[in-house]
Amino acid sequence: MSASNADLRPVAFVTGAANGIGEAVVSRFLAGGYRVAMVDLDAERLTETRHRHDPGGERTIEIVADVSDEDSVENAVTTTVNAFGRMDAAHNNAGITSSGPRTHELTRKAWDRTLEVDLTGVWLCMKFQISVMLEQGSGAVINTASIAGHVGYPGGTAYAAAKHGVVGLTRSAAIEYAPTGIRVNAVSPGPVQSDMMAASLARRGPAVRDWYYNNSPTGRFATLEDVAHAVHWLASPEASFITGHCLSVDGGWTAQ
Ligand SMILES: NC(=O)c1ccc[n+]([C@@H]2O[C@H](COP(=O)([O-])OP(=O)(O)OC[C@H]3O[C@@H](n4cnc5c(N)ncnc54)[C@H](O)[C@@H]3O)[C@@H](O)[C@H]2O)c1
């Protein structure tokens, strides 16, 4: 066993770690004493983000991977286990949005890519993570769904189809693995202040921005940290009897 494998600090695997919610989750896991495998498609941004949170590079590794590519995901999981010896928490968070066009205006290319990243990417990550967790006899998977995984999202039908899929995947896998010590949950954020949201609002204009605010009972967007705290808690022993749950981090949006 290598020195790092003898290290008892827990290990988290986070996709979409270079930016937004994923970056905030990396920061929260580091604050909670974890070592973290940071996974993202954007190599340059990943290195910048890693240096910001772990300047010495002792508690993190960076892995460039496309979550929609099976070999890439298998390699990311293997690299993590080789480096850290285990995987206690996995946050499958990388995602894209194709919001804007209505259903009949969507291109096949946009539909396919949204489903590949936002749904197939989550399944591929789970496939390889759960194999590791089964050998350990423990582990917590947290997927990033969305309010669009629970209610309709006009102008975002591909995204909503993918996120509804993430909810079904999460609940089904939770039941499959409940007897094994592996928990599978999701967070379902409402609108979050991130680059993805900023790009979407810039593309779709003030009417969509007003729609978000008018439908937010709290009158605000989620912060990145609002979501990160929920992910960290779902991974923790305090959530040890919680599986198959999609935790709304939406300021009451889906309570309406
Ligand atoms: N921002 C919101 O309002 C909001 C609301 C609900 C759910 N979400 C979900 O939260 C997650 C994170 O969103 P965000 O707002 O932080 O977005 P973001 O654009 O700020 O960050 C997403 C990260 O994922 C990475 N990524 C994209 N495609 C990838 C791929 N194929 N493989 C690996 N990495 C990839 C990007 O490089 C980026 O670093 C997404 O799943 C998104 O659908 C966001």
Side-chain angles (χ1 to χ4, degrees):
M1 184 183 278
S2 72
S4 62
N5 289 359
D7 193 327
L8 295 178
R9 286 175 299 177
V11 175
F13 178 101
V14 180
T15 71
N19 200 21
I21 293 169
E23 177 180 355
V25 168
V26 169
S27 172
R28 184 65 190 85
F29 274 127
L30 288 173
Y34 283 74
R35 295 168 287 163
V36 184
M38 299 174 60
V39 183
D40 205 286
L41 189 57
D42 184 338
E44 203 174 317
R45 192 161 205 159
L46 186 59
T47 300
E48 282 168 19
T49 303
R50 183 183 180 213
H51 285 160
R52 210 167 29 250
H53 292 280
D54 183 27
E58 290 133 11
R59 297 180 58 199
T60 56
I61 53 170
E62 62 188 75
I63 305 169
V64 178
D66 179 345
V67 295
S68 69
D69 179 83
E70 185 162 1
D71 291 343
S72 188
V73 173
E74 183 173 21
N75 174 62
V77 171
T78 305
T79 302
T80 302
V81 176
N82 287 345
F84 290 145
R86 53 185 299 109
M87 187 182 293
D88 301 284
H91 181 210
N92 300 319
N93 165 76
I96 56 171
T97 177
S98 54
S99 63
R102 290 173 293 168
T103 304
H104 75 283
E105 296 158 338
L106 257 181
T107 62
R108 176 66 191 259
K109 196 173 162 204
W111 170 270
D112 284 348
R113 188 63 186 151
T114 306
L115 271 287
E116 267 174 24
V117 176
D118 291 358
L119 178 57
T120 307
V122 172
W123 166 68
L124 282 172
C125 287
M126 290 171 71
K127 176 176 168 63
F128 294 104
Q129 293 157 353
I130 287 172
S131 298
V132 172
M133 291 174 177
L134 281 172
E135 274 193 37
Q136 292 172 177
S138 65
V141 175
I142 301 102
N143 298 323
T144 299
S146 167
I147 50 174
H150 304 272
V151 296
Y153 183 36
T157 47
Y159 184 80
K163 294 297 186 180
H164 274 71
V166 170
V167 170
L169 178 57
T170 300
R171 290 181 176 145
S172 305
I175 300 164
E176 285 179 349
Y177 300 105
T180 71
I182 300 171
R183 297 184 296 108
V184 185
N185 292 294
V187 284
S188 291
V192 184
Q193 287 165 346
S194 74
D195 285 355
M196 175 190 276
M197 176 55 75
S200 177
L201 292 180
R203 208 171 49 243
R204 301 181 69 188
V208 170
R209 185 188 160 82
D210 291 347
W211 177 78
Y212 276 118
Y213 278 107
N214 292 338
N215 282 288
S216 297
T218 57
R220 72 166 175 92
F221 284 13
T223 64
L224 301 172
E225 290 71 27
D226 286 331
V227 185
H229 287 306
V231 172
H232 180 263
W233 179 74
L234 282 171
S236 77
E238 291 179 357
S240 64
F241 202 55
I242 297 174
T243 196
H245 185 63
C246 300
L247 181 57
S248 297
V249 188
D250 67 0
W253 184 297
T254 50
Q256 298 174 100

